[in-house]
């Protein structure tokens, strides 16, 4: 009998085989622990009164769910006492939260603790997105400037998907691996080794309720994908949770796009803790991520809640989107 590879065992193997700092393994181990706590609490939220709104809005203007607040606190608690994280930037925090000062606290955690939280009351898929940066400033304590780094500076990133099963997918810059939580063991086990994003796919994810507000060229693209009589027809799959939709693209191909509108010319999604970490993952798996104007990973970050359009998924699908955006029609 071959024993499955645990998440912690995999991290130790990666540390031994490469020059990956042990600190990165420790941080990712803590992320796995936080994911287990969240998976348990999300699954029983309806039983303990943790569904519904808290009556406030977060730093980006979204209505806060009880699970948003809980998830944010779990992330803070998980990384507050290990001495490695200098600061945390979160969707649920107005400003960067200083965690630890000193020379050992050399990392910055950027996170959306509960992506797709509007799905919680219906039991639909939600997720956690995270990106880890190395601190850049040299003072005793970190500053907000340490969080304002482009995606090219990420040292690790990933997401956790809470759905029919709980999956943790991560990369430190050389490959992408996925782990599924076995509740009976309380362990994340390697289930998707060296994930590669297919070159093409037959599904797309987009919020078509904004169709009338999109640029005409993007409307043409959506029409092209939705033409059931065409050989290029794609099937729409939109869950309302960014993690769930990008996860499908990563495994099955296709693309996710959230373009700008007149009301939101800079897009809706947050660059630092949503777009950049997912772009890091998808690129490592052979896919592509762009704002429509530039590579997501290279965009300058000027504020922690900065927004960006996002087009992400299979290389050929994102290329086709880009062609429509520029030319208004298929090549």
């Amino acid at each position: 009998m071959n024993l499955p590879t645990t998440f912690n065992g995999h991290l130790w193997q990666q540390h031994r085989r490469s020059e990956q700092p042990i600190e990165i393994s420790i941080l990712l181990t803590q992320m796995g622990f936080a994911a287990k706590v969240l998976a348990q609490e999300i699954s029983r939220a309806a039983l303990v009164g943790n569904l519904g709104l808290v009556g406030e809005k977060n730093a980006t203007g979204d209505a806060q769910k009880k699970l948003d607040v809980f998830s944010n606190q779990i992330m803070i608690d998980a990384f507050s006492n290990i001495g490695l994280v200098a600061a945390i930037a979160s969707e649920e925090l107005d400003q960067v939260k200083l965690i630890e000062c000193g020379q050992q606290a050399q990392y910055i955690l950027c996170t959306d603790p509960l992506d797709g939280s509007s799905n919680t009351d219906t039991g639909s898929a939600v997720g956690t997105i995270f990106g880890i940066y190395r601190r850049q400033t040299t003072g005793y304590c970190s500053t907000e400037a340490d969080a304002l780094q482009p995606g090219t500076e990420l040292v690790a990133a990933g997401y956790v998907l809470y759905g029919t099963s709980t999956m943790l997918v991560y990369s430190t810059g050389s490959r992408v691996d996925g782990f599924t939580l076995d509740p009976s063991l309380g362990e994340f086990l390697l289930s998707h080794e060296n994930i590669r994003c297919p070159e093409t796919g037959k599904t797309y994810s987009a919020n078509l309720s904004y169709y009338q507000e999109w640029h005409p060229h993007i409307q043409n693209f959506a029409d092209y994908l939705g033409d059931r009589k065409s050989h290029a027809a794609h099937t729409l799959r939109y869950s309302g949770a960014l993690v769930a939709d990008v996860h499908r693209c990563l495994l099955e191909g296709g693309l996710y796009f959230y373009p700008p509108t007149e009301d939101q010319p800079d897009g809706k999604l947050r660059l630092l803790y949503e777009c950049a970490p997912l772009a890091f993952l998808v690129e490592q798996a052979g896919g592509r991520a762009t704002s429509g104007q530039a590579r997501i990973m290279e965009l300058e970050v000027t504020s922690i809640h900065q927004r960006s359009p996002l087009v992400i998924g299979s290389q050929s699908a994102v290329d086709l989107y880009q062609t429509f955006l520029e030319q208004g029609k298929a090549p």
Side-chain angles (χ1 to χ4, degrees):
M1 176 181 177
N2 293 323
L3 290 176
T5 301
T6 66
F7 183 47
N8 291 354
H10 174 85
L11 291 173
W12 177 244
Q13 291 174 8
Q14 294 302 307
H15 170 65
R16 292 182 61 193
R17 293 173 182 172
S18 67
E19 297 181 358
Q20 175 179 304
I22 190 64
E23 291 84 359
I24 298 298
S25 297
I26 295 172
L27 292 171
L28 290 169
T29 297
Q30 283 299 103
M31 184 59 65
F33 172 70
K36 293 175 190 178
V37 175
L38 289 177
Q40 182 183 45
E41 292 303 315
I42 290 168
S43 68
R44 66 191 191 104
L47 304 176
V48 296
N50 265 347
L51 296 181
L53 296 167
V54 296
E56 299 177 2
K57 292 187 177 182
N58 64 17
T60 59
D62 295 332
Q64 276 189 317
K65 295 293 188 78
K66 293 178 182 178
L67 278 174
D68 280 319
V69 176
F70 177 85
S71 301
N72 187 63
Q73 192 59 51
I74 289 297
M75 296 297 281
I76 293 172
D77 292 346
F79 291 93
S80 289
N81 299 315
I82 57 174
L84 298 177
V85 174
I88 295 177
S90 168
E91 181 183 12
E92 305 304 325
L93 299 173
D94 292 338
Q95 299 175 331
V96 170
K97 182 176 181 63
L98 183 65
I99 299 296
E100 185 92 16
C101 293
Q103 293 304 309
Q104 289 191 332
Q106 289 298 311
Y107 295 93
I108 308 296
L109 173 66
C110 300
T111 182
D112 181 351
L114 193 64
D115 166 64
S117 59
S118 60
N119 285 347
T120 54
D121 291 356
T122 60
S124 303
V126 293
T128 296
I129 306 172
F130 64 91
I132 299 171
Y133 293 87
R134 189 179 294 277
R135 183 180 162 192
Q136 299 295 314
T137 59
T138 57
Y140 183 66
C141 291
S142 179
T143 68
E144 182 174 299
D146 285 315
L148 304 182
Q149 300 184 53
T152 51
E153 299 302 314
L154 280 162
V155 296
Y159 61 79
V160 184
L161 173 64
Y162 312 99
T164 54
S165 61
T166 299
M167 276 197 67
L168 188 156
V169 180
Y170 91 102
S171 176
T172 55
S174 60
R175 53 186 282 164
V176 179
D177 291 294
F179 300 78
T180 300
L181 181 62
D182 184 336
S184 66
L185 296 176
E187 292 281 1
F188 279 104
L189 304 179
L190 182 62
S191 55
H192 296 69
E193 188 172 7
N194 196 19
I195 297 171
R196 302 300 298 170
C197 182
E199 178 68 20
T200 60
K202 279 298 184 181
T203 62
Y204 73 103
S205 298
N207 189 344
L208 293 184
S209 66
Y210 289 104
Y211 176 90
Q212 297 298 332
E213 300 179 43
W214 292 342
H215 189 282
H217 289 184
I218 300 175
Q219 292 178 348
N220 291 347
F221 177 67
D223 293 341
Y224 179 80
L225 295 181
D227 184 358
R228 305 308 302 170
K229 298 179 181 179
S230 168
H231 70 280
H234 284 53
T235 301
L236 174 66
R237 291 286 186 269
Y238 184 73
S239 70
L242 175 61
V243 165
D245 292 332
V246 171
H247 181 69
R248 178 187 295 274
C249 294
L250 188 63
L251 296 185
E252 299 182 355
L255 83 162
Y256 171 100
F257 59 98
Y258 210 117
T261 63
E262 288 187 7
D263 290 340
Q264 295 179 318
D266 296 324
K268 178 184 178 184
L269 302 173
R270 271 67 59 161
L271 174 60
L272 184 63
Y273 45 78
E274 292 178 327
C275 300
L278 294 177
F280 180 82
L281 270 183
V282 169
E283 284 194 1
Q284 292 301 324
R288 183 185 175 195
T290 177
S291 67
Q293 304 297 324
R295 181 184 173 214
I296 288 290
M297 295 283 287
E298 296 177 346
L299 292 177
E300 180 183 4
V301 183
T302 58
S303 67
I304 62 171
H305 299 300
Q306 179 179 335
R307 298 178 187 267
S308 172
L310 177 65
V311 188
I312 189 169
S314 296
Q315 179 78 43
S316 64
V318 177
D319 289 347
L320 183 61
Y321 176 98
Q322 195 70 42
T323 298
F324 265 88
L325 183 61
E326 295 170 359
Q327 303 177 9
K329 58 183 181 180

